[in-house]
Amino acid sequence: MAGPVIRNIVIVGGGTAGWMAAAALSKVMGTQRYSITLIESDMIGTVGVGEATIPIIQLFNSVLGIDENEFVRETNATFKLGIEFRDWGRIGHRYLHPFGLMGVDAGGINFSHYWLRWVKAGGDPDNLKFSAEAQAALAGRFMRTPEAKPANLPKINYAFHFDASLYGAYLRRYAEKRGVVRTEGQVTSVAQDPQSGFITSVTLKDGREVRGDFFIDCSGFRGLLIEETLHAGYDDWSRWLPVNRAAAMPCARVEEPVPLTRSTAREAGWQWRIALQNRTGNGYVFCNDFIGEDEAATLLTQRLDGAALADPRILKFVTGQRKASWVKNCLALGLSSGFLEPLESTSIHMVQVGISKLLAMFPKNGVDPLMVARFNREMSQDYASIRDFIIAHYKVTEREDTPFWAYCKNMSVPDSLADRLELFKSRGEVFVENHELFKEVNWFAILYGQGIMPDDYHPMADVVAEDELKLRLSAIRGGIVERVRGMPTHQDFIERNCASATAPA
Ligand SMILES: Cc1cc2nc3c(=O)[nH]c(=O)nc-3n(C[C@H](O)[C@H](O)[C@H](O)COP(=O)(O)OP(=O)(O)OC[C@H]3O[C@@H](n4cnc5c(N)ncnc54)[C@H](O)[C@@H]3O)c2cc1C
């Protein structure tokens, strides 16, 4: 495969993916040895939603050396301790998927097995009492883990809700300061080497040609380079994840921001509510086989808890993944590489994953097919494991009150997921591979949260004497109560550390 030695990198697209790539590459590789050009078109614009993240974004921030308080201030961000699910298991039911640990693992097994033993012996079935993040979120409190924390105290895991457009602008300033060249213009044609098929340049509407050795496709759903030029193909997963539209609109803030993303199941999908410092983001993610776009937009508008700040905007997508995210000298990141719907806030995370794999496998003397194959294999595994986790939310519902939920409850699921669900039902266990984003604690939160009580638990959980178990559980619970009591409210924490200039006082 080979192609030229890479010196000139061209990023096509300046949405979240494009600017994340530009920021990370300029920081890690610099712009002396490599030139980095980003092309974007204000005429086309960005998706502009994508407001909720997961804790691993802190790693991205720390690689960039970003000051977190500045970043929160400039993106109107709030803190996120997990997701609240309403009406997913059944109408009127709610549960949380908090970040971080539940209880304390011991004896080589997950804490959930000890807890299951306790519940089966008549203990309190509220698993959230063993999560500091859940208790803090429910109390509307937040604080970062103090640097001088005792060694045995787990850290508080958190992520952010932010304004996606401000995030892009923030990263743009960061990248341009480090030498990334931004080119405004619309790519209208792509040139390829006639022998190898490698991309050699893109041409803009005004005739300018931008040449490059390596192209990063961040052009969004269309996949201008990876699909329209290189025909990578797309695995359509909508038989398992049927939602294919979102109506999105902001509304005025009506209360202090909660440190949770709220997801409420609706007749043909679900609705997000994300509180930022200055406004609330809302969206109805739905399947147009079950509800029309106009009706979904109207229902979303009626269900806002504050005054609408814009008209609803309809976004269309097909859940799935590009068959190959890296083809020849083109690598796709963000929506051009795949989209699994926003239920668990994993898209920005997958951009981060793609960037870190690219950096780890960056070609030295031209493109190495072994690296390309490895990259594509790893991305596929990551996408597929997140896919299964998201499908599980729909599949284990008890709801059949609308055609959409009846479809979800009765659909067949990938074998990989079917096996997991069976094992969880029989002994409360989920085996995860090292590379998987969602671990046993996350699966437990969702499956138990949604109403599955496993028949049994791991035999090792019986090894601890009953009194000892009781003592351990009440110590964990007590520690969490104390810890949360010592936290300021989420709003207080923001005001003291990172209030944005546009947030209401
Ligand atoms: C409804 C919805 C909700 C979401 N919520 C979340 C969430 O909560 N959390 C999360 O992590 N992710 C979420 N996402 C995903 C997230 O928005 C995207 O992963 C992220 O914004 C990356 O988008 P992108 O940069 O790949 O694409 P885009 O934002 O579409 O950017 C594409 C860029 O390519 C440029 N471009 C396109 N064609 C051309 C051309 N011909 N010439 C020049 N430039 C061109 C555009 O101008 C733009 O700059 C959500 C997505 C949707 C649809």
Side-chain angles (χ1 to χ4, degrees):
M1 205 183 275
V5 171
I6 294 162
R7 287 290 176 268
N8 301 311
I9 300 167
V10 177
I11 300 169
V12 175
T16 308
W19 284 114
M20 282 177 76
L25 265 55
S26 63
K27 169 71 181 181
V28 176
M29 298 162 62
T31 49
Q32 297 297 315
R33 187 173 168 80
Y34 297 95
S35 81
I36 305 174
T37 305
L38 183 146
I39 304 169
E40 68 175 321
S41 163
D42 284 341
M43 294 299 291
I44 295 175
T46 64
V47 160
V49 282
E51 298 177 325
T53 57
I54 56 175
I56 209 161
I57 195 173
Q58 287 178 44
L59 179 63
F60 187 74
N61 288 349
S62 86
V63 169
L64 297 193
I66 280 176
D67 174 89
E68 189 174 288
N69 284 340
E70 175 197 270
F71 152 76
V72 168
R73 232 181 343 260
E74 295 201 17
T75 59
N76 262 323
T78 57
F79 295 90
K80 170 180 170 186
L81 293 168
I83 305 176
E84 177 193 13
F85 291 92
R86 291 188 176 186
D87 299 340
W88 274 81
R90 55 191 178 277
I91 290 176
H93 175 250
R94 108 175 163 150
Y95 72 96
L96 300 193
H97 175 198
F99 295 139
L101 302 174
M102 274 276 180
V104 179
D105 297 350
I109 57 168
N110 201 274
F111 170 79
S112 55
H113 298 283
Y114 296 98
W115 177 81
L116 276 171
R117 175 183 157 196
W118 192 52
V119 173
K120 284 184 183 291
D124 181 353
D126 184 359
N127 61 330
L128 298 179
K129 289 192 174 140
F130 297 94
S131 158
E133 287 83 356
Q135 292 306 309
L138 291 169
R141 292 175 182 269
F142 175 76
M143 97 187 229
R144 297 184 186 114
T145 314
E147 270 170 28
K149 76 168 177 66
N152 61 351
L153 194 67
K155 70 183 179 71
I156 295 289
N157 291 273
Y158 64 90
F160 311 95
H161 300 125
F162 54 57
D163 179 322
S165 310
L166 294 179
Y167 184 52
Y170 180 78
L171 292 178
R172 175 181 164 185
R173 287 194 293 281
Y174 178 98
E176 286 188 315
K177 227 186 272 171
R178 282 163 182 78
V180 172
V181 175
R182 174 185 183 270
T183 300
E184 165 63 37
Q186 193 176 332
V187 174
T188 49
S189 66
V190 181
Q192 289 172 270
D193 179 271
Q195 256 86 52
S196 65
F198 275 46
I199 297 174
T200 51
S201 67
V202 295
T203 303
L204 308 184
K205 205 173 180 178
D206 61 10
R208 276 176 298 159
E209 188 189 38
V210 181
R211 300 186 66 78
D213 308 315
F214 194 77
F215 290 79
I216 304 184
D217 185 349
C218 298
S219 63
F221 289 124
R222 63 185 297 192
L224 178 69
L225 308 180
I226 197 78
E227 192 59 52
E228 291 179 16
T229 307
L230 295 167
H231 313 295
Y234 195 73
D235 277 331
D236 178 340
W237 289 336
S238 46
R239 61 193 176 285
W240 300 309
L241 293 171
V243 293
N244 58 7
R245 299 277 188 282
M249 67 195 293
C251 74
R253 176 183 139 154
V254 289
E255 58 182 22
E256 293 187 354
V258 279
L260 283 171
T261 301
R262 182 182 301 155
S263 165
T264 307
R266 298 297 190 198
E267 48 286 284
W270 61 278
Q271 181 177 334
W272 80 74
R273 180 187 187 279
I274 295 176
L276 303 185
Q277 288 194 38
N278 62 329
R279 63 163 171 82
T280 304
N282 307 278
Y284 185 175
V285 181
F286 61 95
C287 173
N288 74 336
D289 289 343
F290 297 92
I291 193 171
E293 289 178 7
D294 290 346
E295 192 184 350
T298 305
L299 286 171
L300 175 66
T301 311
Q302 288 166 357
R303 289 165 174 163
L304 301 179
D305 60 10
L309 298 176
D311 290 332
R313 195 158 64 95
I314 299 287
L315 298 133
K316 300 182 183 180
F317 54 86
V318 178
T319 53
Q321 187 213 345
R322 202 66 65 199
K323 285 185 196 292
S325 294
W326 187 345
V327 178
K328 300 183 189 290
N329 63 338
C330 171
L331 184 137
L333 289 174
L335 299 173
S336 63
S337 94
F339 184 53
L340 285 174
E341 76 134 290
L343 187 60
E344 283 282 351
S345 322
T346 44
S347 287
I348 291 171
H349 167 71
M350 285 308 289
V351 175
Q352 185 180 337
V353 167
I355 292 170
S356 72
K357 288 190 201 298
L358 168 63
L359 287 169
M361 300 180 201
F362 200 81
K364 188 159 188 207
N365 298 312
V367 175
D368 179 344
L370 287 175
M371 285 300 184
V372 173
R374 186 181 179 92
F375 180 94
N376 287 329
R377 192 171 57 246
E378 289 188 8
M379 287 301 277
S380 292
Q381 288 171 343
D382 291 348
Y383 267 111
S385 74
I386 296 173
R387 174 201 68 193
D388 283 4
F389 187 66
I390 298 178
I391 297 170
H393 296 62
Y394 290 95
K395 175 67 186 170
V396 303
T397 186
E398 291 169 21
R399 290 185 61 167
E400 288 192 86
D401 54 296
T402 66
F404 174 83
W405 287 103
Y407 173 83
C408 294
K409 183 173 159 48
N410 296 304
M411 69 185 167
S412 63
V413 295
D415 293 346
S416 44
L417 174 59
D419 292 351
R420 276 196 167 161
L421 294 178
E422 207 177 301
L423 191 65
F424 184 80
K425 279 178 200 147
S426 62
R427 52 185 264 161
E429 258 187 299
V430 179
F431 292 109
V432 296
E433 308 294 334
N434 279 342
H435 70 88
E436 292 192 58
L437 172 65
F438 294 109
K439 308 295 182 203
E440 191 171 0
V441 64
N442 308 102
W443 282 90
F444 188 86
I446 295 301
L447 299 180
Y448 175 75
Q450 222 143 281
I452 300 185
M453 172 52 94
D455 298 336
D456 212 337
Y457 50 82
H458 196 288
M460 291 304 145
D462 282 327
V463 170
V464 183
E466 196 173 329
D467 288 353
E468 168 68 16
L469 179 63
K470 258 194 191 161
L471 264 177
R472 277 195 209 170
L473 294 182
S474 65
I476 296 170
R477 275 172 61 158
I480 289 174
V481 169
E482 275 304 300
R483 201 170 181 196
V484 171
R485 200 177 285 146
M487 292 181 179
T489 67
H490 182 214
Q491 176 68 23
D492 276 350
F493 184 87
I494 291 171
E495 276 171 21
R496 271 187 239 158
N497 297 286
C498 42
S500 108
T502 55

